[in-house]
Amino acid sequence: MLIYILTFSLSLFNVYMANRHYKKKGLFYFFSFFAVAPLVLLASFRASNVGSDTSFYQIPFWRDALLSHGGLIDYIERHPNFEAGYLFVNYFISLLTDNIVYLFLVIYTLIILPVYKVAMRWRKSLSPFLFMTIYCLVCYNELLSTVRQGIAMSLSLLAFNYFLEQKYYKYFSLSVMAYAFHTSALIPFVFPFVYKFVDKYKLEDCRLIYMSFSALFICILLNFDNILVFVINNNFLAEKFIEYTSKGNAFEGDLGLSNLIVKLMILAYIYFIMKLRGKSTFVDFFFLMAILDLAFSSLGIIINHLIRLSLYPRMMTCISLPFLFKNYPLYIRLGKIRYKLPFEFIFISLLLFYWYYVYIYGDFAATSDYKFNPEIF
């Protein structure tokens, strides 16, 4: 646990300093490097037993890439159940080196750097320090076990940022790249359209529409396994997706008590902001993302892989909470003095508890017992 705390602290200190010196480009890039590097290095230098995906496919695929003599197309065709983007990165790095650490350095740069870029592009609307703090507590350990999806998540988050900036070419390009690393990136591809819909039809004015959509969405999720089997049997999806019909366990790690408490408190906080401050597209959208996160996680009771799909709306928490903290502060008046309610402290404390309970005590994602790769030293 200590290695994570030290790494997070070093990274977050440099995030804070980079934001303070944003206009001084030399200092900004200096601190930015040391904001991203600790997170990348910690993930890259881990032993093979840290994170469930490492021994499952990362090491076997890397060894296969080193021994592959039939070219890139042959390598991709030998692994039809895995996305071409991830296989391309494996194969390309294997042409340059036989050390898997360099592959990890590239992969985790692809994961961490887009997230940091989003944090800084939102710096006028939120605190990059809080953004990255929430990312470390909510997402980082997950990404040690969901490597391909981790890249897709980061690219999708950056794509969503470009959508809001009306840079649609970059949005579509990054969305396609995300899909090339993990097919689940179809989930965040829909988020901008949800945002546009919410912008036109506010939650407060169209409750019946949203209730109808929610009921339909829940019905689809409850019958997700049957729908998926039907789609696969009719050759609309590859057979590899049959694993998404596997049953789940409601309280195995991810859906522990701490997780449920945090999700419900985030929902309650956003709902309170909605009621207190009136109509806002961002607040409505963040509320829907929080509901989606809770829905996917809760329905992991029925289908195990729905828990992983919850990572996409969950990552939006990195934007939603800091955005609300800065733009919708809440005060309480005691006598003639008005005090700001410390929601930043409350939620960071909750997320710290969540991180400890799920990833350290519960060892979800198999990352609690961190060890360095012995081949490095």
Side-chain angles (χ1 to χ4, degrees):
M1 182 176 75
L2 182 60
I3 186 66
Y4 290 114
I5 294 175
L6 291 175
T7 302
F8 292 168
S9 299
L10 177 61
S11 175
L12 293 173
F13 169 77
N14 284 286
V15 170
Y16 173 79
M17 295 301 293
N19 186 45
R20 285 199 62 181
H21 298 283
Y22 185 80
K23 294 183 179 180
K24 301 176 182 178
K25 292 305 177 184
L27 285 174
F28 171 74
Y29 288 120
F30 173 83
F31 287 118
S32 292
F33 175 82
F34 287 102
V36 172
L39 300 177
V40 172
L41 294 176
L42 185 69
S44 301
F45 290 170
R46 60 195 168 97
S48 60
N49 64 329
V50 180
S52 57
D53 281 358
T54 310
S55 57
F56 176 61
Y57 68 80
Q58 284 187 285
I59 293 177
F61 280 27
W62 172 251
R63 290 172 178 169
D64 188 41
L66 291 174
L67 299 174
S68 179
H69 302 293
L72 175 62
I73 302 302
D74 176 68
Y75 177 65
I76 293 176
E77 288 178 346
R78 290 205 309 274
H79 303 285
N81 291 334
F82 284 79
E83 291 80 4
Y86 177 77
L87 295 174
F88 171 79
V89 172
N90 264 266
Y91 184 81
F92 178 76
I93 301 301
S94 73
L95 297 176
L96 304 176
T97 178
D98 61 356
N99 191 335
I100 195 172
V101 172
Y102 291 101
L103 172 66
F104 287 167
L105 286 170
V106 172
I107 285 175
Y108 285 101
T109 299
L110 284 173
I111 292 176
I112 304 298
L113 189 58
V115 174
Y116 179 77
K117 186 176 180 68
V118 173
M120 286 302 168
R121 293 186 79 89
W122 280 71
R123 60 183 298 274
K124 292 183 179 179
S125 301
L126 52 76
S127 164
F129 175 83
L130 288 177
F131 180 110
M132 293 301 296
T133 300
I134 294 171
Y135 175 79
C136 289
L137 298 177
V138 173
C139 299
Y140 185 79
N141 289 70
E142 289 277 359
L143 302 178
L144 299 181
S145 283
T146 56
V147 177
R148 292 172 297 138
Q149 186 178 350
I151 299 173
M153 288 168 58
S154 298
L155 294 177
S156 296
L157 187 68
L158 183 57
F160 180 73
N161 170 81
Y162 282 128
F163 178 88
L164 295 178
E165 294 178 356
Q166 299 183 343
K167 298 177 180 179
Y168 300 121
Y169 175 77
K170 290 185 177 181
Y171 159 68
F172 280 108
S173 299
L174 285 169
S175 295
V176 171
M177 287 178 60
Y179 182 79
F181 281 97
H182 206 271
T183 49
S184 65
L186 287 173
I187 299 294
F189 181 77
V190 179
F191 289 173
F193 301 99
V194 174
Y195 178 84
K196 283 293 185 182
F197 186 86
V198 170
D199 188 40
K200 186 173 182 180
Y201 304 101
K202 295 293 188 290
L203 279 173
E204 189 70 23
D205 300 331
C206 306
R207 293 181 182 178
L208 184 59
I209 293 176
Y210 286 101
M211 289 176 64
S212 301
F213 274 125
S214 299
L216 177 62
F217 179 70
I218 290 172
C219 288
I220 291 173
L221 289 181
L222 289 174
N223 294 279
F224 185 80
D225 52 346
N226 295 323
I227 295 172
L228 199 56
V229 169
F230 174 81
V231 172
I232 292 171
N233 288 340
N234 285 274
N235 300 317
F236 291 109
L237 279 177
E239 290 187 7
K240 69 174 183 176
F241 291 101
I242 198 68
E243 68 181 22
Y244 280 75
T245 63
S246 61
K247 304 303 179 183
N249 184 337
F251 290 95
E252 184 178 355
D254 188 61
L255 200 63
L257 181 61
S258 65
N259 195 350
L260 185 61
I261 291 173
V262 169
K263 291 180 191 302
L264 291 175
M265 286 199 67
I266 290 174
L267 265 175
Y269 173 65
I270 299 175
Y271 182 78
F272 184 70
I273 295 290
M274 288 170 57
K275 288 297 182 182
L276 193 66
R277 297 300 179 92
K279 300 174 185 177
S280 166
T281 300
F282 272 124
V283 178
D284 286 358
F285 175 76
F286 293 148
F287 184 70
L288 290 179
M289 290 295 103
I291 290 178
L292 194 61
D293 178 11
L294 180 61
F296 277 136
S297 292
S298 301
L299 288 169
I301 299 169
I302 304 170
I303 301 167
N304 188 49
H305 278 74
L306 287 180
I307 291 176
R308 282 199 169 191
L309 296 183
S310 72
L311 293 174
Y312 290 106
R314 188 183 311 175
M315 203 171 187
M316 285 294 175
T317 308
C318 298
I319 297 177
S320 63
L321 288 181
F323 179 88
L324 295 175
F325 294 154
K326 183 171 183 176
N327 297 280
Y328 297 91
L330 300 176
Y331 297 88
I332 185 172
R333 184 177 295 277
L334 296 176
K336 295 182 178 181
I337 303 176
R338 194 174 65 156
Y339 296 94
K340 182 183 177 182
L341 295 174
F343 279 103
E344 296 94 331
F345 175 78
I346 293 171
F347 276 101
I348 294 301
S349 299
L350 274 172
L351 292 176
L352 183 61
F353 172 72
Y354 162 85
W355 173 78
Y356 173 80
Y357 181 82
V358 174
Y359 299 113
I360 304 302
Y361 178 78
D363 195 29
F364 188 77
T367 60
S368 63
D369 186 20
Y370 185 90
K371 291 183 175 63
F372 285 103
N373 185 342
E375 296 179 4
I376 296 175
F377 302 101

